[in-house]
Each structure stands twice: as C-alpha cells, then as structure tokens.
C-alpha cells in the first residue's frame, strides 16, 4: 500500500496535529501493551488506527486518539452468557486502566460504557484553523464478545452504531508496524485480511480522506472529505 503525500503543499498539512501528541500516544501505548501482556488481555488496533495500518502503517496525522479492540479468549468463560462475559471483561479492563492511571499522569473515563485513557489538559486549537480542536491524547477501548465464529462489538448500542465492526475468530490476529513518528513505532496486533474489513467499514477508504472539524467546546461542526493523493 502506498502512503499519503503530506507535503507542505498538500491541503491536509493544516490539519496535522503537533508531534508531541503522537509521542504521548506512543508512550501510552507502551504502557497499555505492557499491562495487557502482563494480564493476558487480548487486543488489536481497531477503527481509525486499523485504517492507518491498512494505508501503510503511519498513524493518521490529524488523529488525536488510538482505537483498540479487546476480546476475551479465556475458555473458562465459554459457558457464560454474552452479557456476563462482557461485564467480566469490562471490569477487568477498567481495573487495569485504573492501575495504569495510579502510577502515571493519565486518567480513566467511562463514557456510556466506552472506556478511555487520556492525558488531562492537553486540549488545543490550531492557529491555522481556529475552529479545529486538537483533542487531548486519548486511547479508546472497544470491547468484543464472541458470537459463534465472530467477535462482535458490545454493548448492543455500539453494535447498532457500528454494525460492520465484527471479525471472524480465525482472523485474530497478526502483527504490523504502527508508526507514531519517524523514529517511534510499535509492532501492534491487527486483524488478518485487514483490507477486507476496511472495505466493509470504510467503503471509500482507498480514495477518500475524512477529517472531523470541532469547535472549542468539542462540538462537531462538520466532516471534510478529500480525495487522497498517494505516493
């Protein structure tokens, strides 16, 4: 896969967030991967972060967050109901994130069962685009429960909002390079056959680059779609 042309002449350049935000996301991911490995918690890059890998591995340069999907493979939970399985997984993830927050400057937030780990007080507004808010560096965690041969997003409100966020169990996982800056990168788990899933979730991902514009109250103003120049 080719990569985006993000030269100074390119219209995307005005939307690129400062490098310090991507460095902070890298540091947060290091903490998360260490703790998740320690507690045998299985995860993969999801959403826009998976999209970045499909496009060549460079984090989307206007993104101020990383999306992570988490799934449970513990055979002891196989006989539990989907709801109980989800609640146990949710509690486990929240406890691990709270442990991380206790020894770092990060904070944990629960937004309608969407767990977030974020750096407080790093919000900003770009000089070039006064209505463009740079959100504080954040990791979003999406939980998946097993439904026969698939992992589906849970709870139901999320699966209704993102109906194509489901993965075959046989496609989890393989490792790919995820670049935060020119010198900082990690080998992160992603789903196999990634481009197939991106075709379902983002049908025009090969030709269209989408950016959300927010004001200083973090209210979404509009979405900008641009044709992608690849190099």
């Amino acid at each position: 896969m080719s990569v985006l042309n993000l030269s100074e002449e390119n219209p995307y350049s005005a939307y690129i967030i400062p490098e310090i935000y991507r460095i902070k996301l890298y540091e947060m991911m290091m903490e998360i991967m260490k703790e998740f490995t320690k507690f045998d918690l299985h995860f993969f890059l999801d959403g826009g972060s998976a999209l970045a890998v499909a496009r060549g591995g460079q984090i989307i340069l206007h993104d101020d967050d990383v999306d992570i999907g988490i799934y449970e493979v513990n055979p002891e939970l196989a006989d539990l109901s989907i709801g109980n399985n989800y609640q146990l997984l949710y509690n486990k993830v929240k406890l691990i994130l709270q442990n991380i927050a206790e020894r770092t400057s990060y904070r944990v937030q629960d937004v309608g069962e969407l767990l977030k780990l974020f750096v407080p007080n790093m919000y900003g507004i770009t000089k070039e685009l006064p209505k463009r808010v740079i959100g504080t560096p954040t990791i979003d965690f999406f939980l998946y429960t097993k439904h026969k041969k698939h992992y589906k997003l849970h709870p139901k409100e999320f699966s209704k909002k993102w109906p194509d966020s489901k993965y075959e169990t046989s496609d989890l996982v393989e490792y790919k390079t995820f670049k935060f800056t020119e010198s900082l990168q990690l080998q992160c788990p992603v789903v196999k056959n990634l481009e197939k899933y991106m075709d379902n979730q983002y049908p025009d991902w090969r030709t269209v680059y989408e950016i959300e514009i927010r004001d200083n109250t973090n209210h979404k103003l509009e979405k900008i779609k641009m044709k992608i120049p690849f190099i």
Side-chain angles (χ1 to χ4, degrees):
M1 171 61 68
S2 300
V3 297
L4 285 173
N5 175 10
L6 289 168
S7 63
E8 291 299 322
E9 297 77 24
N10 192 286
Y12 311 121
S13 299
Y15 299 90
I16 296 175
I17 65 173
E19 188 175 80
I20 185 63
Y21 286 75
R22 296 192 294 280
I23 293 173
K24 186 58 68 174
L25 287 170
Y26 169 82
E27 293 171 351
M28 296 171 76
M29 280 295 293
M30 289 282 286
E31 284 285 345
I32 289 164
M33 292 176 71
K34 179 175 68 177
E35 287 299 299
F36 281 13
T37 300
K38 178 180 175 181
F39 289 98
D40 196 28
L41 198 60
H42 300 266
F43 70 98
F44 56 93
L45 294 179
D46 202 8
S49 299
L51 180 60
V53 173
R55 283 177 172 164
Q58 171 70 61
I59 190 172
I60 295 175
L61 297 181
H62 70 265
D63 264 0
D64 45 39
D65 64 9
V66 172
D67 299 318
I68 290 180
I70 302 173
Y71 62 106
E72 181 62 80
V73 297
N74 189 339
E76 295 178 2
L77 300 179
D79 294 330
L80 293 177
S81 68
I82 290 171
N84 286 338
N85 193 327
Y86 164 75
Q87 195 60 53
L88 287 171
L89 181 59
Y90 174 88
N91 291 342
K92 181 178 180 180
V93 173
K94 189 171 185 178
L95 181 60
I96 292 172
L97 296 182
Q98 288 171 338
N99 289 339
I100 293 174
E102 285 178 2
R103 67 170 189 274
T104 66
S105 61
Y106 310 146
R107 297 291 181 268
V108 179
Q109 187 177 25
D110 182 348
V111 183
E113 296 191 76
L114 173 62
L115 290 169
K116 295 172 174 280
L117 188 72
F118 67 96
V119 180
N121 304 319
M122 274 191 72
Y123 290 98
I125 300 174
T126 59
K127 293 179 180 178
E128 298 83 2
L129 302 163
K131 293 181 180 180
R132 162 70 169 148
V133 170
I134 303 172
T136 199
T138 302
I139 312 288
D140 292 330
F141 301 89
F142 298 91
L143 274 56
Y144 286 78
T145 51
K146 192 174 182 179
H147 300 244
K148 296 182 178 179
K149 294 184 178 181
H150 290 84
Y151 280 102
K152 295 184 180 180
L153 196 57
H154 205 88
K156 287 184 178 180
E157 291 76 12
F158 290 176
S159 60
K160 288 179 181 179
K161 185 175 181 179
W162 297 290
D164 293 319
S165 290
K166 58 183 178 181
Y167 304 98
E168 295 179 24
T169 56
S170 58
D171 281 339
L172 295 171
V173 290
E174 64 182 359
Y175 282 77
K176 297 283 187 179
T177 300
F178 190 38
K179 292 184 63 176
F180 295 82
T181 69
E182 285 300 315
S183 60
L184 298 177
Q185 63 185 44
L186 293 170
Q187 292 297 308
C188 293
V190 297
V191 296
K192 301 172 186 175
N193 301 309
L194 182 58
E195 292 188 5
K196 175 186 73 174
Y197 290 105
M198 294 300 97
D199 287 340
N200 288 333
Q201 296 175 18
Y202 307 97
D204 54 3
W205 70 274
R206 299 170 189 270
T207 56
V208 173
Y209 195 71
E210 186 174 292
I211 301 172
E212 290 185 356
I213 302 299
R214 298 175 182 270
D215 63 17
N216 58 9
T217 65
N218 207 34
H219 174 70
K220 186 187 298 183
L221 296 177
E222 61 178 315
K223 285 187 176 183
I224 295 177
K225 290 189 176 184
M226 307 179 191
K227 293 292 183 180
I228 302 177
F230 280 114
I231 58 174

